[in-house]
């Protein structure tokens, strides 16, 4: 899971550095390459078969079908793509236990991606959509 289990005012730079994809991962995603994120997690409290709705996950800012912009590249101005949220608490079968992405997004260009965290640096309300 990429959400930070704390209030925004409690977040420190170190929390973000350890939770946000590295620049190398962002560059790989931007160029359409595969990159492993999130890194493997040793916490095995919940098995892969447990659906997200069977336990308490943090509330999210966006809903299914909501128009958003996602960070797909390293440039803070041009590295964004518009799309819609198609799934909450997304998980791939190859991810370690307890690893969830807050959102799966269908981009306007047809690509399907996930947002590894629910923060404005990764996913934000689409500024071009009323």
């Amino acid at each position: 899971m990429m959400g930070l289990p704390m209030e925004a005012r409690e977040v420190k730079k170190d929390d973000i550095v350890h939770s946000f994809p590295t620049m190398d991962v962002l560059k790989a995603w931007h160029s359409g390459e595969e990159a492993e994120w999130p890194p493997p997690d040793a916490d095995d409290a919940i098995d892969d078969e447990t659906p997200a709705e069977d336990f308490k996950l943090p509330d999210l800012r966006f809903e299914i079908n909501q128009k958003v912009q996602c960070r797909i590249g390293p440039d803070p101005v041009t590295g964004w793509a518009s799309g819609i949220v198609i799934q909450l608490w997304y998980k791939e079968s190859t991810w370690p236990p307890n690893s969830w992405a807050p959102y799966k997004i269908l981009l306007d260009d047809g690509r399907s991606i996930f947002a590894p965290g629910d923060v404005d640096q990764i996913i934000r309300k689409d500024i071009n959509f009323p």
Side-chain angles (χ1 to χ4, degrees), residues 9-61:
R9 67 180 177 275
E10 299 171 328
V11 177
K12 295 179 177 48
K13 182 178 179 180
D14 192 52
D15 297 321
I16 294 170
V17 168
H18 291 349
S19 299
F20 192 79
T22 64
M23 188 60 71
D24 289 339
V25 170
L26 289 173
K27 286 178 182 178
W29 289 342
H30 180 68
S31 63
E33 300 171 19
E34 292 291 324
E36 185 175 328
W37 190 264
D41 184 359
D43 185 1
D44 294 331
I46 300 168
D47 63 42
D48 286 341
E49 304 302 316
T50 306
E53 50 277 349
D54 286 357
F55 55 93
K56 180 66 178 145
L57 291 170
D59 292 332
L60 298 174
R61 296 178 299 148

Side-chain angles (χ1 to χ4, degrees), residues 52-123:
E53 50 277 349
D54 286 357
F55 55 93
K56 180 66 178 145
L57 291 170
D59 292 332
L60 298 174
R61 296 178 299 148
F62 304 111
E63 299 175 1
I64 292 178
N65 294 323
Q66 190 166 357
K67 193 78 169 151
V68 294
Q69 290 183 321
C70 297
R71 184 79 176 263
I72 61 165
D75 188 284
V77 176
T78 62
W80 294 89
S82 294
I84 60 166
V85 175
I86 59 172
Q87 184 178 341
L88 303 180
W89 294 116
Y90 173 70
K91 180 174 182 59
E92 292 189 359
S93 61
T94 58
W95 290 359
N98 296 340
S99 294
W100 303 85
Y103 304 103
K104 185 173 184 181
I105 302 97
L106 178 62
L107 298 179
D108 291 350
D109 66 9
R111 291 182 290 169
S112 180
I113 66 169
F114 66 89
D118 188 15
V119 293
D120 279 339
Q121 295 89 342
I122 298 173
I123 184 169

